[in-house]
Amino acid sequence: MTFLNISQDIPPVPVPAGEITARIAEVFGEGSVGRIADRKAGRDDRGWFTDLWLSVEKERFLEMIDLLAEFDFPHFHVISGNDDGEAVTLHYHLSLFRLAGRGERVGVTVSVPVYKTDLVMPSLFSRIPGVEYSEREIREMLGIDFDGLPNKALIFLPEDWDETIKPWRRDETGPGADDVRHLS
Amino acid sequence: MEKKYKIPIGPVHVGLKEPITAWLDLEGEKIVGATVRPGAIHRGIEYMARDRNPIQVIYLSERICGICSFSHIMAFVRAVEDAATIPVPPRAQYIRTLVLELERLHSHMLWAGVACYTIGFDSAFHLGMVLREKVMDVLEALSGNRVNYGVGTVGGVRWDITPAVAKSVKDMLRYYRREFSPFYDVVTGDPIALARMRNVGVLTYEEAVRHTAVGPTARASGVRCDLRKTSPYEAYGDFSVEAIVPQDFYGKAYGDVFDRFLVRVHEVYQSLEIIDHVMEGLPEGEILWEKNLNKVLAYTKKAEGTGIASIEAPRGDDTHVVHLAAGDENVTWWKVRAPTYANAVSWPLMFRNNELADAPLIINSIDPCISCMERMLITDASGEKSVVTRTELLDKCREKTRRLMGK
Amino acid sequence: MKLEKYLEILPKSLWVTTCNSGSCNGCDIEIVATISPRYDIERLGMKLVGTPRHADVLVVTGPVTKYMTERLRRIYEQVPDPKVVIAVGNCGASGDVFYKSYNLDGPIDRIIPVDVYVHGCPPRPEAIIEGVAKAVLKLERLRKDLVKASVEGA
């Protein structure tokens, strides 16, 4: 099964960011909608487009992606992440309506906490194949496994890298003082 | 039976996250599969930034990539401004837009030149490089540097447009309007160049969308994406920019290397127009939100939040995410998504059913900063190894051009 | 034929090969600019070659990532003697902005011996040409030493 129909002949139908947040709040609760940033540009400081910050628990993550896909094929930018102590929080940065008209793109960030007791995330690979590099990067840098990602080889670290060291982690699995070189 | 080969290309490929080793599966000359392994130039920049304050990180982000250095600064600075809510004066927005477009000019010309070099069209390569020097002169007049300009900073820009700079910009516009079309005609009018680039490295519309291709690579496949249009930032809010797709000019998007060439060429003309708009509309006023760096740092130290910025760099959209924590003067975490990071995912698709001789051209076509293939190692089925140098590969690529010329 | 005979035949204009060991690409485009018509390093008889086996001079840029360390050594060993190494850019000489990382082995002179340093981030094409000119002097000296050693050895 392929995720959404994509064709040059289907023009995107943009909706205002308010409609998206209303739908998200309806399904996932008011708490799932975070900051709504209005982006201004130009000499008159006119508001042009919106960036949304959403959050969801891991179990309902795919459901939220599917809900966003009701509006438009979500264009995937990147996954960012940080070790927040008990959990590693991942932020999926997406865009809706990037093929629509002037100022109609809606930037969406979906934040998901992944608790260190179970560092496995469902992979988006079957929906958006473009996530491959990002998921492999997060896997080697933050030690999160992606369920459903076919290629789990190292991507940016050298071949002989000690895989027990996760460079971006801030706990004992992160790089120690000996692993970091100061150069100048 | 045809012998099957597995060939690694690389690893010396330039730029952050763009150095790539590509393993190609070959049947004779035909590429049947490809796997890509980046990582040679992973310097751990995002990790290094944890120990630096936002002003220091500006100069680190400038050195992510030497060609789109200003795009990276812009994306980073905008993310910091988003996280800490810092306004940017209108004149600074216009200067930023000007430098972004100048950078697009020199990047696209470099790419066009290198693409010609790859197919053995050396005269066009030198022509492209001569053209490029003019925009380098303007950047030097503005900032004093040719490559890493150090123009952007948090809350504005560091250099103003003086009358002398304005004059050099005007000269440049006149020069390109006169001199660029001969270069374009020489390449697009050449039947050999057409034969070498048409239907090579094809990426369809649907694949481009699903594999999150960005920038000219996506646009050449007919995807109408351009952040300058769909999410105007800086001075792009004051004039409209249309995404350049081949179907608007030639009726159909093939999604091949030739279309990527055409898209970039038309974007050069588009950039010239944007620069015209910027110079005409340049507002008077301050170029910095706060001149005193210590005050800026004190302000960002108090700020708490995550900021995101996506801008249209020459190669596609460049996304930076920055988190600032109150009480911490350093950047807590930072994520960079350079455009090639997104485009490289589509490489294996572009390689399908092409010839080995086209491999350098395909790698080049998404503009991975510059093609710098160092060595290739051919391992045949019997385990015997032989080394194919970059020169030999380039010769192979050029030999194909000569073959086509003979026909 | 004796070694000194070879060395008498061999003197020629410099052939240069480049290796990017993790730089930001800025130095590399300036190296490309030196072969473009404005700076035109070829008028001085120098040219870029695609393989280290044909080169007299190895130009290295970047702070040397772990992935590249072994490969840089291999490239260095493939360049025939007498050879000169030029480190182009600040990060290759000292690390510059790249410090405190888990993935860097540099600077370059920790991996292979460096003869000429060209500073700048990135250096201008004129500076790179000057660096190559210094490499010529060094190469002449190395060649004379080799001839001398071979004559004395015989």
Side-chain angles (χ1 to χ4, degrees):
Chain A
M1 193 195 84
T2 47
F3 181 61
L4 290 184
N5 238 341
I6 290 169
S7 161
Q8 221 161 328
D9 312 320
I10 310 172
V13 190
V15 300
E19 247 175 74
I20 300 171
T21 50
R23 184 93 175 88
I24 294 285
E26 182 193 325
V27 179
F28 294 91
E30 293 289 341
S32 60
V33 181
R35 184 159 79 100
I36 301 173
D38 196 22
R39 300 282 185 229
K40 297 190 168 87
R43 57 166 88 213
D44 309 324
D45 244 6
R46 191 194 139 169
W48 274 107
F49 68 104
T50 317
D51 272 328
L52 306 176
W53 297 76
L54 311 174
S55 60
V56 70
E57 65 265 40
K58 190 169 88 180
E59 287 69 29
R60 297 187 74 189
F61 170 67
L62 289 179
E63 199 187 321
M64 183 175 270
I65 297 294
D66 290 341
L67 184 79
L68 290 172
E70 284 174 15
F71 297 100
D72 183 27
F73 184 87
H75 170 71
F76 171 81
H77 289 260
V78 74
I79 308 173
S80 64
N82 185 42
D83 182 350
D84 288 333
E86 269 180 28
V88 176
T89 313
L90 295 186
H91 309 275
Y92 285 73
H93 304 285
L94 310 161
S95 285
L96 296 178
F97 316 123
R98 72 158 180 156
L99 308 181
R102 188 150 187 245
E104 285 177 318
R105 184 179 80 98
V106 178
V108 181
T109 300
V110 181
S111 304
V112 192
V114 187
Y115 290 93
K116 284 188 182 166
T117 44
D118 180 25
L119 285 172
V120 183
M121 268 298 281
S123 171
L124 279 184
F125 185 78
S126 58
R127 289 173 171 77
I128 311 169
V131 298
E132 185 191 340
Y133 280 16
S134 228
E135 290 192 347
R136 280 166 70 185
E137 185 186 31
I138 293 295
R139 188 183 161 276
E140 66 186 17
M141 298 295 176
L142 285 165
I144 291 176
D145 200 17
F146 285 88
D147 185 24
L149 180 68
N151 183 356
K152 294 184 183 177
L154 288 180
I155 182 160
F156 293 122
L157 296 174
E159 299 103 324
D160 53 355
W161 183 261
D162 174 6
E163 284 198 55
T164 55
I165 300 173
K166 309 290 180 194
W168 294 356
R169 288 277 280 273
R170 292 169 200 265
D171 53 14
E172 65 287 348
T173 53
D178 301 342
D179 302 318
V180 175
R181 271 182 49 74
H182 286 251
L183 274 86
S184 52
Chain B
M1 195 191 102
E2 279 192 321
K3 244 189 203 166
K4 275 198 181 172
Y5 295 93
K6 202 170 175 66
I7 296 183
I9 296 183
V12 179
H13 253 276
V14 200
L16 176 93
K17 294 184 174 168
E18 292 142 36
I20 299 265
T21 311
W23 289 83
L24 305 180
D25 299 313
L26 298 181
E27 261 175 30
E29 285 276 320
K30 211 173 91 185
I31 303 171
V32 289
T35 14
V36 173
R37 170 67 163 88
I41 304 201
H42 175 73
R43 290 155 291 184
I45 282 190
E46 287 138 331
Y47 178 83
M48 290 182 217
R50 290 179 179 184
D51 251 12
R52 303 177 196 202
N53 66 41
I55 300 291
Q56 288 172 315
V57 175
I58 291 175
Y59 300 98
L60 187 59
S61 74
E62 188 164 40
R63 281 150 186 85
I64 288 171
C65 168
I67 298 179
C68 34
S69 55
F70 190 70
S71 302
H72 281 294
I73 288 197
M74 274 326 302
F76 172 74
V77 161
R78 284 181 56 79
V80 170
E81 285 160 1
D82 179 23
T85 340
I86 294 171
V88 182
R91 189 175 173 87
Q93 292 188 21
Y94 271 70
I95 296 173
R96 285 176 174 191
T97 310
L98 172 72
V99 182
L100 280 171
E101 291 305 324
L102 291 174
E103 188 167 86
R104 195 180 317 278
L105 283 178
H106 94 68
S107 172
H108 280 1
M109 280 177 209
L110 180 71
W111 180 83
V114 171
C116 294
Y117 174 77
T118 318
I119 59 168
F121 203 164
D122 274 3
S123 42
F125 162 68
H126 288 297
L127 198 54
M129 292 302 285
V130 171
L131 289 171
R132 180 173 172 268
E133 286 297 329
K134 190 78 184 172
V135 54
M136 301 307 277
D137 286 347
V138 175
L139 286 165
E140 201 177 330
L142 176 67
S143 70
N145 295 328
R146 282 167 54 88
V147 176
N148 294 331
Y149 334 109
V151 173
T153 189
V154 175
V157 289
R158 292 175 58 228
W159 300 104
D160 203 351
I161 296 181
T162 59
V165 176
K167 185 177 173 296
S168 71
V169 172
K170 250 191 210 135
D171 280 353
M172 180 199 78
L173 290 175
R174 212 175 309 122
Y175 175 82
Y176 281 137
R177 295 222 156 98
R178 198 177 60 230
E179 303 287 337
F180 192 73
S181 55
F183 170 73
Y184 169 65
D185 293 343
V186 158
V187 181
T188 52
D190 190 284
I192 308 290
L194 182 71
R196 280 312 306 276
M197 297 198 271
R198 188 50 98 199
N199 290 323
V200 169
V202 175
L203 189 68
T204 66
Y205 180 89
E206 193 186 334
E207 286 163 348
V209 173
R210 280 195 200 285
H211 289 78
T212 66
V214 294
T217 311
R219 290 197 278 274
S221 299
V223 182
R224 241 174 248 280
C225 60
D226 193 325
L227 290 175
R228 293 175 292 175
K229 174 189 168 200
T230 53
S231 45
Y233 51 92
E234 311 297 352
Y236 298 115
D238 290 346
F239 40 82
S240 68
V241 179
E242 280 306 309
I244 288 186
V245 283
Q247 63 261 40
D248 290 353
F249 292 88
Y250 307 96
K252 185 187 166 192
Y254 289 83
D256 55 11
V257 178
F258 196 66
D259 273 356
R260 280 168 219 147
F261 186 92
L262 293 175
V263 165
R264 288 194 173 94
V265 165
H266 283 285
E267 284 184 23
V268 166
Y269 289 119
Q270 187 186 36
S271 287
L272 296 179
E273 236 164 75
I274 294 173
I275 293 171
D276 254 347
H277 285 305
V278 169
M279 295 309 285
E280 276 164 23
L282 192 67
E284 292 299 323
E286 289 296 313
I287 56 165
L288 269 173
W289 164 71
E290 173 58 65
K291 282 202 183 81
N292 188 337
L293 277 188
N294 291 326
K295 282 189 187 159
V296 175
L297 285 175
Y299 187 82
T300 54
K301 188 177 173 179
K302 273 184 267 169
E304 167 87 42
T306 314
I308 179 169
S310 290
I311 63 152
E312 189 74 24
R315 296 170 181 74
D317 81 68
D318 183 10
T319 305
H320 282 221
V321 192
V322 172
H323 184 82
L324 301 174
D328 185 0
E329 65 178 317
N330 294 333
V331 169
T332 315
W333 56 264
W334 173 37
K335 181 82 198 82
V336 180
R337 203 293 310 268
T340 308
Y341 185 109
N343 284 336
V345 183
S346 324
W347 255 336
L349 299 172
M350 294 181 201
F351 279 126
R352 282 165 320 185
N353 300 325
N354 283 291
E355 286 179 31
L356 175 60
D358 294 324
L361 186 62
I362 295 169
I363 291 188
N364 236 324
S365 71
I366 70 160
D367 195 0
C369 286
I370 199 167
S371 161
C372 183
M373 255 169 294
E374 195 60 25
R375 293 178 322 290
M376 293 180 26
L377 197 66
I378 296 190
T379 319
D380 71 20
S382 65
E384 239 178 86
K385 286 180 180 177
S386 67
V387 169
V388 179
T389 63
R390 176 172 95 177
T391 329
E392 281 161 16
L393 186 64
L394 206 57
D395 283 347
K396 216 171 166 54
C397 193
R398 291 166 170 212
E399 151 68 28
K400 189 175 170 187
T401 304
R402 277 194 294 276
R403 213 162 61 224
L404 285 167
M405 277 162 86
K407 262 182 203 165
Chain C
M1 201 157 60
K2 280 183 188 151
L3 179 62
E4 64 262 29
K5 286 284 173 203
Y6 281 112
L7 286 167
E8 270 167 32
I9 298 165
L10 282 176
K12 58 175 183 190
S13 49
L14 290 194
W15 284 15
V16 181
T17 189
T18 62
C19 171
N20 176 338
S21 72
S23 92
C24 72
N25 212 5
C27 298
D28 302 77
I29 46 171
E30 291 299 69
I31 291 168
V32 171
T34 58
I35 60 167
S36 76
R38 181 181 288 186
Y39 299 99
D40 198 10
I41 201 167
E42 290 187 10
R43 80 201 134 103
L44 306 174
M46 299 158 193
K47 72 172 203 170
L48 283 180
V49 290
T51 161
R53 287 159 203 245
H54 299 164
D56 308 291
V57 175
L58 174 62
V59 173
V60 190
T61 58
V64 195
T65 60
K66 284 191 175 157
Y67 190 95
M68 290 303 297
T69 311
E70 225 14 74
R71 290 167 169 102
L72 179 60
R73 277 202 194 104
R74 253 159 57 195
I75 290 170
Y76 175 75
E77 268 146 31
Q78 284 177 21
V79 181
D81 277 326
K83 60 189 160 195
V84 171
V85 176
I86 306 178
V88 171
N90 282 349
C91 58
S94 68
D96 202 19
V97 294
F98 305 120
Y99 54 86
K100 272 197 146 175
S101 169
Y102 52 84
N103 205 31
L104 294 181
D105 269 344
I108 297 163
D109 51 14
R110 208 173 149 260
I111 315 292
I112 55 172
V114 176
D115 302 289
V116 181
Y117 295 89
V118 180
H119 284 285
C121 189
R124 298 179 55 87
E126 293 93 331
I128 297 174
I129 294 173
E130 195 203 354
V132 178
K134 283 185 177 155
V136 175
L137 299 177
K138 174 97 188 205
L139 204 60
E140 295 285 313
R141 210 164 65 231
L142 285 175
R143 193 171 275 139
K144 273 186 200 134
D145 289 350
L146 259 183
V147 173
K148 211 170 133 198
S150 131
V151 171
E152 279 166 7

